[in-house]
């Protein structure tokens, strides 16, 4: 009896055979057997793919980059890691973290066995930083023929770090990145403690994804604002509107503003109470009530709509019910506004595309228009949180992760910006002006004066790579910004 897997094996062996003999003939063959080929697992497909391209050497250093194998359903992890390789500020950050240990080695002049113990220690304190550095160094290396690596070792170390299995779960690129960033931040905290304990005079770098949001409430009735609530973020979560299309910048600002009705505004209520008291001549007030009214008259000009008053005063306002006026009946409409007060070096934007239609989640295919350059509003305040000012901070698109398919199943791919490669006019040498993972600072790019180098023409034409696991294609900018329906996560870097 011939089993299905026998049939499949037969198909792919024939497929390779035909492909090697006559590439043109294989085209019609794949069409005929397309259903079976579709059933072949990715690893077998990779074998076929590898056989067909492994000898393609390129004269250009920017044609290929290292792909990541997909043995089961790892496309979400592959895309999540690939995009990180294009983020200069992340590379600079990782190099700084690793160099803290390198630096200390030089200060202490430790012996070889001590160095080994130290490496073990490094591995213990910041294992995920360490594993990520190794993987990103591979992805950033300039190559002239296709090659592939695997995320499995990195995922294993990540799983060991959080004591939880990641594979086989939701398999969402956003959730995975969230876990990676949280683990890195926890390791950074351990590193800070280590530096303090060892009394090292080393500055621990800031986490490049971290930004700060302030949320303000502002009352439409009395015009007063609230004391801001400050929170930090690594990923800017954006609810994609249920519309045919929308502009990314507009969605970001739209998400920052929310209207709330029936809000008990402390200022509106106090205003009404004081007016009511004045009209009725403070009749029948106890000494306590007299004191509270006097106090409220004093603080009213500087009162915030969510002021933390003492419970006695607060209860007086809340339960006030005199001369036919009940403070509880006074409701106001307020605007809730989230403002970025600290812009991150790397702005990661997650477009939430889930819509719950009662029972199940479906995909929101809103066409989100985005550009290569984007300005983000940063709100600055003085110490008293007054004198609000808006500054514009410029960002450039570095990579995107796209998701195609349905809400529950589909495929992740990414577009990753190529490094800034230039050719020296006289020596013809190719120089990488983008930072790469390396504990030692490379001086070659610093020695070259900028005017002697020309950006590679092929990078001007194709500034991105389209990466689908091990499959690498060069891509124009238009091809990236075209992905309005499938764009899922965007990575912008601050232009300095
Ligand atoms: Zn108000």
């Amino acid at each position: 009896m011939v089993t299905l897997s026998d049939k499949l094996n037969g198909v792919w062996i024939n497929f390779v055979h035909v492909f090697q003999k006559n590439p043109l003939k294989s085209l019609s063959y794949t069409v005929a057997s397309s259903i079976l080929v579709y059933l072949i697992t990715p690893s077998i497909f990779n074998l076929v793919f590898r056989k067909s391209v492994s000898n393609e050497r390129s004269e250009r250093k920017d044609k290929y980059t290292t792909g990541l194998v997909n043995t089961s359903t790892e496309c979400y992890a592959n895309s999540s890691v690939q995009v990180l390789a294009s983020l200069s500020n992340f590379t600079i950050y990782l190099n700084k973290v690793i160099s803290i240990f390198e630096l200390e080695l030089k200060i202490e002049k430790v012996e070889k066995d001590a160095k080994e113990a130290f490496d073990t220690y490094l591995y213990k304190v910041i294992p995920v930083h360490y594993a990520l550095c190794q993987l990103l160094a591979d992805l950033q290396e300039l190559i002239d023929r296709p090659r592939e690596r695997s995320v499995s070792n990195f995922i294993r170390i990540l799983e060991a770090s959080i004591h939880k299995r990641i594979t086989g779960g939701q398999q969402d690129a956003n959730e995975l990145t969230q876990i990676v960033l949280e683990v890195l931040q926890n390791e950074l905290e351990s590193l800070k403690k280590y530096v303090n304990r060892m009394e090292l005079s080393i500055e621990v770098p800031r986490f490049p994804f971290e930004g700060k949001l302030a949320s303000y409430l502002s009352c439409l009735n009395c015009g007063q604002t609230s004391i801001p609530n400050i929170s930090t973020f690594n990923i800017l979560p954006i609810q994609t509107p249920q519309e045919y299309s929308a502009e990314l910048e507009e969605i970001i600002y739209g998400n920052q503003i929310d209207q709330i009705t029936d809000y008990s505004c402390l200022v509106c209520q106090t205003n009404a109470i004081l007016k009511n008291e004045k009209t009725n001549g403070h009749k029948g007030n106890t000494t306590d009530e007299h004191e509270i009214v006097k106090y409220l008259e004093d603080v009213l000009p500087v009162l915030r709509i969510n002021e933390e008053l003492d419970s006695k005063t607060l209860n007086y306002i809340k339960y006030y019910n005199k001369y036919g006026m009940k403070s509880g009946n006074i409701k106001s409409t307020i605007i809730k506004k989230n403002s970025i007060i600290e812009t991150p070096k790397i702005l990661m934007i997650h477009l939430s595309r889930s819509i719950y239609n009662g029972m199940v989640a479906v995909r929101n295919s809103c066409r989100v228009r985005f550009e290569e350059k984007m300005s983000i509003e940063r709100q600055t305040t003085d110490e008293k949180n007054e004198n609000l000012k808006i500054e514009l901070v410029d960002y450039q698109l570095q990579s995107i992760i796209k998701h195609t398919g349905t809400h529950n199943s589909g495929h992740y791919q990414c577009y990753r910006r190529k490094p800034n490669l230039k050719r020296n006019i006289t020596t013809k040498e190719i120089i990488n002006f983008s930072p790469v993972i390396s504990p030692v600072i490379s001086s070659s790019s610093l020695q070259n004066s900028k005017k002697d180098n020309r950006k590679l023409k092929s990078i001007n034409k194709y500034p991105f790579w389209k990466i689908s696991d091990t499959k690498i294609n060069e891509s124009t900018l238009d091809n990236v910004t075209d992905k309005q329906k499938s764009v899922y996560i965007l990575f912008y870097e601050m232009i300095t």
Side-chain angles (χ1 to χ4, degrees):
M1 203 185 98
V2 181
T3 65
L4 180 64
S5 77
D6 286 338
K7 273 188 191 168
L8 289 178
N9 275 335
V11 167
W12 86 261
I13 289 164
N14 282 336
F15 180 64
V16 174
H17 179 69
V18 174
F19 196 91
Q20 282 171 335
K21 236 169 94 182
N22 186 347
L24 274 178
K25 206 173 159 191
S26 75
L27 273 176
S28 56
Y29 193 83
T30 50
V31 172
S33 62
S34 62
I35 296 161
L36 284 176
V37 171
Y38 183 73
L39 284 170
I40 293 172
T41 60
S43 55
I44 296 173
F45 185 79
N46 288 337
L47 277 173
V48 176
F49 177 73
R50 209 181 309 168
K51 280 211 159 54
S52 62
V53 295
S54 62
N55 292 324
E56 278 181 27
R57 192 180 167 276
S58 169
E59 290 301 317
R60 289 193 284 119
K61 290 279 189 195
D62 66 316
K63 186 167 184 192
Y64 298 115
T65 188
T66 304
L68 293 167
V69 287
N70 182 357
T71 51
S72 53
T73 52
E74 284 134 351
C75 60
Y76 76 106
N78 290 344
S79 295
S80 305
V81 170
Q82 282 283 5
V83 290
L84 298 178
S86 69
L87 304 172
S88 297
N89 284 294
F90 188 53
T91 299
I92 293 168
Y93 159 81
L94 288 172
N95 282 340
K96 274 186 188 160
V97 168
I98 297 295
S99 72
I100 286 175
F101 289 90
E102 296 282 326
L103 213 64
E104 209 210 349
L105 278 178
K106 275 174 201 152
I107 297 165
E108 299 286 322
K109 290 192 182 71
V110 286
E111 300 294 319
K112 192 180 164 284
D113 53 338
K115 190 193 176 305
E116 270 165 26
F118 203 77
D119 279 346
T120 318
Y121 189 70
L122 169 78
Y123 197 75
K124 256 190 201 160
V125 181
I126 50 167
V128 177
H129 278 83
Y130 205 62
L132 199 52
C133 280
Q134 288 174 323
L135 188 52
L136 294 187
D138 267 352
L139 298 183
Q140 288 173 343
E141 199 182 320
L142 301 180
I143 52 172
D144 55 12
R145 64 180 78 228
R147 71 169 190 190
E148 45 202 55
R149 295 287 183 267
S150 166
V151 288
S152 57
N153 187 47
F154 171 68
I155 296 293
R156 259 199 303 276
I157 289 164
L158 188 63
E159 286 178 333
S161 172
I162 60 169
H163 310 291
K164 214 173 116 187
R165 292 270 295 156
I166 291 168
T167 40
Q170 257 275 291
Q171 293 167 347
D172 177 284
N174 177 56
E175 276 177 36
L176 179 70
T177 309
Q178 213 170 323
I179 294 171
V180 172
L181 298 185
E182 270 171 32
V183 170
L184 290 177
Q185 261 183 320
N186 290 341
E187 288 187 2
L188 186 65
E189 283 308 308
S190 310
L191 186 63
K192 275 182 195 162
K193 281 182 198 152
Y194 171 81
V195 167
N196 286 338
R197 197 169 62 237
M198 305 295 276
E199 294 175 352
L200 305 174
S201 56
I202 296 168
E203 200 191 329
V204 177
R206 270 199 59 184
F207 197 58
F209 287 88
E210 193 184 291
K212 277 198 179 117
L213 276 174
S215 84
Y216 295 84
L217 304 174
S218 136
C219 178
L220 289 181
N221 295 28
C222 66
Q224 270 295 3
T225 55
S226 68
I227 301 158
N229 181 24
I230 313 287
S231 58
T232 59
F233 68 93
N234 285 331
I235 302 171
L236 201 63
I238 298 292
Q239 197 58 50
T240 313
Q242 291 183 41
E243 286 163 20
Y244 176 77
S245 73
E247 199 89 46
L248 178 64
E249 274 182 61
E250 279 170 23
I251 305 173
I252 292 174
Y253 296 120
N255 265 254
Q256 290 181 346
I257 296 172
D258 211 3
Q259 189 167 311
I260 305 165
T261 50
D262 285 344
Y263 181 85
S264 300
C265 169
L266 218 56
V267 178
C268 284
Q269 290 182 338
T270 305
N271 258 327
I273 291 168
L274 293 178
K275 210 173 147 195
N276 194 42
E277 283 292 323
K278 209 175 171 187
T279 316
N280 293 286
H282 311 283
K283 267 183 281 174
N285 275 356
T286 63
T287 326
D288 263 7
E289 285 170 340
H290 263 304
E291 267 174 28
I292 292 174
V293 169
K294 180 82 190 52
Y295 171 74
L296 287 177
E297 279 170 350
D298 288 346
V299 296
L300 184 65
V302 291
L303 197 64
R304 301 297 193 108
I305 68 173
N306 63 344
E307 195 81 49
E308 282 174 24
L309 297 167
D310 63 274
S311 58
K312 205 168 128 188
T313 315
L314 207 59
N315 283 337
Y316 175 82
I317 299 171
K318 218 169 149 189
Y319 302 111
Y320 183 91
N321 184 3
K322 274 165 85 181
Y323 324 120
M325 191 214 105
K326 230 175 147 178
S327 67
N329 290 339
I330 297 164
K331 297 289 182 191
S332 315
T333 300
I334 59 154
I335 298 288
K336 186 182 174 197
K337 189 175 186 318
N338 289 324
S339 301
I340 296 178
I341 53 167
E342 255 181 52
T343 35
K345 286 254 169 74
I346 301 164
L347 183 66
M348 174 178 167
I349 303 165
H350 166 230
L351 295 169
S352 173
R353 286 187 178 272
S354 297
I355 317 167
Y356 292 92
N357 63 357
M359 291 290 278
V360 287
V362 291
R363 194 189 146 82
N364 176 354
S365 292
C366 172
R367 287 158 176 79
V368 177
R369 295 188 299 276
F370 59 98
E371 307 276 339
E372 184 185 27
K373 298 269 160 52
M374 180 168 68
S375 295
I376 288 289
E377 284 185 0
R378 185 170 78 94
Q379 188 177 288
T380 58
T381 54
D382 57 17
E383 278 168 11
K384 290 177 184 167
N385 286 306
E386 286 161 6
N387 298 321
L388 307 183
K389 261 189 248 163
I390 300 289
E391 274 179 11
L392 285 179
V393 181
D394 294 329
Y395 282 88
Q396 175 179 271
L397 184 69
Q398 288 302 106
S399 9
I400 67 162
I401 295 177
K402 72 164 192 170
H403 180 261
T404 45
T406 65
H407 181 268
N408 295 312
S409 73
H411 184 48
Y412 285 101
Q413 293 165 70
C414 73
Y415 289 83
R416 179 183 134 198
R417 188 180 281 278
K418 292 179 179 178
N420 185 12
L421 300 185
K422 290 181 179 176
R423 188 190 303 275
N424 186 280
I425 298 166
T426 37
T427 65
K428 305 286 176 208
E429 183 199 1
I430 303 280
I431 305 150
N432 187 357
F433 280 83
S434 294
V436 290
I437 295 289
S438 154
V440 280
I441 299 153
S442 149
S443 56
S444 69
S445 59
L446 301 171
Q447 285 163 358
N448 281 283
S449 103
K450 272 187 180 171
K451 60 176 186 199
D452 293 336
N453 303 302
R454 292 272 180 278
K455 196 170 178 180
L456 297 192
K457 276 182 193 159
S458 50
I459 291 189
N460 281 331
K461 195 175 174 191
Y462 302 109
F464 290 84
W465 283 302
K466 179 192 178 186
I467 306 172
S468 174
D469 300 322
T470 50
K471 203 174 165 213
I472 314 290
N473 285 106
E474 296 182 277
S475 168
T476 61
L477 173 66
D478 284 350
N479 214 338
V480 179
T481 52
D482 252 12
K483 300 294 167 286
Q484 299 175 359
K485 259 177 91 174
S486 54
V487 60
Y488 183 55
I489 306 174
L490 303 103
F491 295 83
Y492 281 87
E493 275 199 287
M494 195 190 281
I495 303 169
T496 44

